[in-house]
Amino acid sequence: MLRRRVGDSIGGFGAAMGTERFVFVLFAFLCCSTARFADAYDPMDPNGNITINWDFQSLDVKDANTYTVMVSIHNNQLYRHIEHPGWRLSWTWAGKEVIWASTGAEATEQGDCSRVVGSGGNRPHCCQKRPVMADVQPGTPYNQQVANCCRGGVLSSLVQDNRTNTAAFQLVVGESAVAKDGGDGKEPEMPWGFDIGVPGYSCSNASKVAPTRSKVDKNRHVQVLLTWQVTCSYSQYRESGAQSCCVSLSTFYSSDIVSCPRCSCGCQGTATSPRCVAGGGDPGALALPSNGEDETAPLVRCSEHMCPIRVHWHVKVNYKKYWRVKVTVSNYNLVRNYSDWNLVLQHPNLRSLTQLFSFNYKPLIEYGTFNDTGMFWGIKFYNEMLLQDGNVQTEMILEKHDGEFTFSGGWAFPRRVYFDGHECVMPPADQYPALPNGASATRRSLVAGAFLLLLSFLALV
């Protein structure tokens, strides 16, 4: 019967006019054309992105198309931050532009400026068709700084610290070849091919938006002449195919400990797996950076999961009106400290979090007043840094709700876990710690007793 119906459907489709076929093809085309954007959507932070503004402070198009622009990078992501070695912003000029001066950041290379000479024989700061700008380090002389510069490219997340989630630098840009009659009086052409130099991010082309305003004092705002804007979005699939963290589970009512899934971050000895040191071995020369790179490749303690980070969720105590959970984040990476780390947990009972120890916490309101997601991070000067081969831990007390709370069916465990913006590998649901057999037998006895009592009552009626 099923085969006949499928054949009838195919025959009907083949006999139909071109309208249905056209709709189907159009639907398939739309799905394919939008697939590359779908992986950038983050259900934990649906509106998160990094925005780059080009604010023109002066625009002298009659004098060699020279202009001064303030470039600002705003991290609007709730929990993802940019760590060391930091951002490196690059783009491709539309014409023959050169950077005559830069304050608050510097081009990584000057390029060939032999054919470009400014007034007084000055040489440009950068003559490359595709410049790469890097933030300068803290301690830069004051006359080479602008507001929000000089943090070594590090940007905090919006929730963790909204005072350090912005970077900025100032450029003086002009043409490298100038006609004798000066500029043509038109607006500069927009550069293209933007990249912030951080794995996992892709950026749009620049577009003109309403000019931004900056506050000078209590009563005055200053509006820039022109603003271009670029938006960058993150996707873990674009960053790397390998995971970087995993989750293990345990409870007070079960002797079973559910470990991280095997090969969560790569199988030991494979090309995609981090290097590892067995037992209490000394990393030694393996920990040294290779090929002159700024960042050392992960070197972890050998384990079945091979992840640099493990998050352990332990259901610790069951009170009458509350229950208690202990969360431990362990750093298996032997060559890296995680500064300003953060943890995002999704669980339906987080909206009733009553008390928390040793961590900062803020709920992430996702859909109206419904909240099942919370962000946790370390306390300043106490545990804001997760040290090599170390751990940080907290305990939380949550209030029970009638008709919702249960230890069965895996309800007591988190739905999703993120560390430093990376989603962690969860164990399979069918391996979660189950209630002991005695508890199950007691529950069945109670249900059976209630059923017999109900039958007795009906018999009397």
Side-chain angles (χ1 to χ4, degrees):
M1 180 65 72
L2 178 60
R3 184 176 300 174
R4 184 182 64 82
R5 289 182 178 176
V6 171
D8 292 344
S9 300
I10 295 175
F13 178 79
M17 298 300 291
T19 303
E20 294 180 7
R21 188 186 299 262
F22 173 78
V23 172
F24 175 80
V25 172
L26 179 61
F27 175 77
F29 172 78
L30 291 175
C31 289
C32 294
S33 63
T34 58
R36 64 189 185 95
F37 300 104
D39 63 348
Y41 176 77
D42 182 0
M44 300 292 193
D45 187 10
N47 300 315
N49 60 40
I50 292 180
T51 302
I52 303 168
N53 283 349
W54 284 57
D55 293 324
F56 288 80
Q57 298 174 315
S58 69
L59 187 58
D60 191 355
V61 295
K62 293 184 179 180
D63 182 14
N65 289 337
T66 302
Y67 59 84
T68 302
V69 60
M70 182 68 75
V71 181
S72 55
I73 306 172
H74 306 269
N75 184 12
N76 302 315
Q77 299 174 112
L78 295 178
Y79 60 89
R80 286 194 176 90
H81 56 276
I82 306 300
E83 300 177 274
H84 179 80
W87 55 265
R88 292 200 170 191
L89 183 62
S90 60
W91 62 87
T92 300
W93 291 117
K96 298 179 180 179
E97 294 89 344
V98 296
I99 300 174
W100 286 103
S102 176
T103 308
E106 58 186 0
T108 57
E109 293 187 25
Q110 184 184 36
D112 183 7
C113 295
S114 58
R115 299 182 180 181
V116 184
V117 180
S119 59
N122 294 328
R123 301 286 294 275
H125 177 77
C126 178
C127 300
Q128 289 192 312
K129 182 69 174 180
R130 185 172 180 82
V132 179
M133 303 299 299
D135 194 10
V136 293
Q137 299 296 324
T140 300
Y142 185 77
N143 60 351
Q144 300 175 24
Q145 295 186 22
V146 297
N148 295 316
C149 82
C150 316
R151 301 193 187 102
V154 175
L155 292 176
S156 65
S157 63
L158 191 61
V159 169
Q160 216 159 340
D161 192 348
N162 59 10
R163 298 167 300 178
T164 56
N165 71 316
T166 297
F169 58 91
Q170 188 182 56
L171 300 176
V172 178
V173 182
E175 295 284 353
S176 61
V178 184
K180 293 182 179 180
D181 57 352
D184 55 11
K186 297 180 180 179
E187 289 182 359
E189 292 186 75
M190 294 181 183
W192 55 278
F194 284 87
D195 187 357
I196 61 171
V198 180
Y201 288 87
S202 62
C203 301
S204 67
N205 288 324
S207 60
K208 186 186 296 186
V209 297
T212 59
R213 299 191 309 163
S214 59
K215 190 171 183 178
V216 178
D217 53 40
K218 183 178 180 180
N219 300 315
R220 178 173 170 79
H221 288 80
V222 176
Q223 183 169 298
V224 299
L225 304 177
L226 174 67
T227 297
W228 295 339
Q229 191 171 89
V230 177
T231 302
C232 304
S233 60
Y234 172 84
S235 168
Q236 186 167 338
Y237 296 102
R238 281 197 293 261
E239 179 178 8
S240 173
Q243 303 290 338
S244 59
C245 59
C246 64
V247 179
S248 57
L249 308 170
S250 64
T251 67
F252 70 90
Y253 56 77
S254 175
S255 59
D256 295 334
I257 297 178
V258 179
S259 302
C260 288
R262 184 179 177 83
C263 299
S264 294
C265 300
C267 294
Q268 186 174 336
T270 61
T272 58
S273 173
R275 299 173 300 164
C276 74
V277 175
D282 185 2
L286 291 175
L288 297 176
S290 58
N291 300 327
E293 296 177 353
D294 294 333
E295 196 73 11
T296 305
L299 177 64
V300 303
R301 293 289 179 196
C302 293
S303 62
E304 290 192 348
H305 57 76
M306 291 297 292
C307 290
I309 295 293
R310 186 195 71 172
V311 180
H312 185 74
W313 176 284
H314 175 65
V315 180
K316 188 175 182 179
V317 183
N318 182 25
Y319 304 111
K320 183 177 181 180
K321 294 184 178 180
Y322 303 91
W323 60 300
R324 192 182 190 105
V325 173
K326 181 177 181 179
V327 179
T328 304
V329 184
S330 301
N331 182 6
Y332 283 70
N333 197 336
L334 302 177
V335 293
R336 180 181 175 185
N337 298 326
Y338 292 86
S339 59
D340 296 323
W341 59 268
N342 66 65
L343 186 69
V344 174
L345 300 173
Q346 184 181 43
H347 191 283
N349 208 195
L350 279 179
R351 67 177 185 270
S352 300
L353 178 60
T354 303
Q355 193 169 5
L356 180 73
F357 304 91
S358 304
F359 284 4
N360 290 308
Y361 165 76
K362 185 173 182 178
L364 302 181
I365 305 298
E366 291 179 316
Y367 308 105
T369 58
F370 180 78
N371 172 52
D372 63 352
T373 306
M375 177 175 167
F376 304 80
W377 66 98
I379 297 173
K380 196 71 172 176
F381 306 119
Y382 176 58
N383 59 356
E384 82 277 11
M385 181 174 288
L386 177 54
L387 299 176
Q388 301 170 8
D389 208 18
N391 69 75
V392 291
Q393 56 188 16
T394 184
E395 293 191 13
M396 62 183 83
I397 299 176
L398 304 105
E399 185 178 3
K400 296 179 180 179
H401 291 283
D402 294 338
E404 181 184 53
F405 176 83
T406 178
F407 280 134
S408 65
W411 186 91
F413 304 113
R415 308 310 188 251
R416 289 184 179 181
V417 177
Y418 287 71
F419 178 82
D420 269 1
H422 298 88
E423 186 170 6
C424 302
V425 179
M426 295 284 296
D430 59 354
Q431 295 182 11
Y432 284 9
L435 288 169
N437 293 331
S440 301
T442 302
R443 178 179 296 179
R444 287 195 295 269
S445 299
L446 291 174
V447 173
F451 181 73
L452 291 175
L453 183 61
L454 177 60
L455 289 178
S456 300
F457 176 78
L458 291 176
L460 292 174
V461 174

